[in-house]
Amino acid sequence: MLFAAVGVLALSNAAMADTTADQLRSAAEQAVRTQYSIAGSRVVITPTMLNPRLRLAACPGTLQTHLPNRQGTPSRVAVAVSCSSGPHWTIQVPVQMQVFRQVLVTSRPMARGDIAGPADVHTEERDIARLGYGYIESLDQLTGHSLSRPLMAGAVLEPGDLNGREVVKAGEEVSLVADLGGIEVRTSAVALDGGDTGSHLRVRNGESGRIIDGIVTGAGQVEALP
């Protein structure tokens, strides 16, 4: 009985002697899920094989993890797993992942200059780790923007696909403000171009018919340039 008890104790101590590859991988994967499982995301991790003979001294405390400070969502990340109490060690554990989110996708072919609306796009779940140029999630992000290039049906909308927001649109009636010797004069005009606040464009004076260069100062507001 005494020898049996000693044998069990020895096995127990041996089991606690090392931190295994499975423990390292579990800690690294949990850190990745915590980092990238934001609202609306679905994280899928592909198990990374570590050397099953890898052994590190047992950590008496909780394993610590640290992810590199990176922009965007990578498909592969190295997580630093460390023991800061007792034996001090750190090891880099690679984790391969997919992060799925609902993104906007074109429902039909679209031309440059088109403004996408609810009938032109729909949502699909895509792996954003593979969308290196970003993505668009909501129709609000499209409001006032036209396409900077043509898109095929089924294309994921990216921020680079959009022109600047147009607070003044071509053909829209605007209020034209001119400074004449310190006196502010307002009249109606028709915008010949579109643009965001600060954009230069041309307008046609509603009374004289003259073409005037101006700068957009706000929604429906253009200031005549001297």
Side-chain angles (χ1 to χ4, degrees):
M1 292 289 291
L2 177 61
F3 285 121
V6 170
V8 170
L9 180 60
L11 289 174
S12 176
N13 287 339
M16 292 296 293
D18 300 314
T19 299
T20 66
D22 285 343
Q23 290 172 312
L24 295 171
R25 183 169 55 243
S26 177
E29 291 180 357
Q30 183 57 46
V32 167
R33 291 187 188 280
T34 301
Q35 176 79 10
Y36 292 101
S37 291
I38 59 176
S41 294
R42 180 171 66 90
V43 179
V44 176
I45 293 178
T46 302
T48 301
M49 294 302 297
L50 299 176
N51 188 337
R53 293 176 295 180
L54 175 65
R55 292 292 186 272
L56 293 167
C59 187
T62 303
L63 292 177
Q64 304 297 311
T65 56
H66 176 73
L67 277 72
N69 186 15
R70 299 178 57 179
Q71 291 186 338
T73 305
S75 60
R76 189 178 179 87
V77 64
V79 181
V81 182
S82 61
C83 177
S84 58
S85 57
H88 292 271
W89 49 257
T90 300
I91 186 169
Q92 299 290 328
V93 179
V95 177
Q96 187 172 343
M97 63 180 176
Q98 295 172 288
V99 181
F100 292 94
R101 286 186 68 83
Q102 294 289 330
V103 302
L104 288 184
V105 176
T106 53
S107 301
R108 63 176 183 84
M110 301 191 70
R112 178 181 178 183
D114 285 352
I115 296 179
D120 305 311
V121 297
H122 63 278
T123 59
E124 288 185 10
E125 189 182 59
R126 295 293 180 93
D127 178 12
I128 63 173
R130 297 183 179 275
L131 301 178
Y133 293 101
Y135 54 93
I136 292 175
E137 299 179 88
S138 69
L139 286 169
D140 290 343
Q141 294 173 268
L142 301 178
T143 303
H145 294 279
S146 61
L147 293 181
S148 61
R149 65 187 182 96
L151 295 174
M152 299 175 60
V156 174
L157 280 164
E158 303 170 352
D161 295 331
L162 305 179
N163 288 314
R165 190 182 298 268
E166 290 187 330
V167 298
V168 169
K169 297 178 175 60
E172 178 183 355
E173 184 173 335
V174 298
S175 176
L176 178 64
V177 181
D179 184 352
L180 301 179
I183 300 175
E184 185 180 277
V185 178
R186 290 180 176 268
T187 186
S188 63
V190 176
L192 301 180
D193 309 296
D196 197 357
T197 301
S199 299
H200 288 211
L201 45 66
R202 299 167 303 146
V203 298
R204 177 180 288 111
N205 188 307
E207 296 182 2
S208 66
R210 290 180 53 201
I211 306 299
I212 299 171
D213 292 326
I215 184 171
V216 180
T217 57
Q221 301 287 326
V222 176
E223 181 179 338
L225 292 173

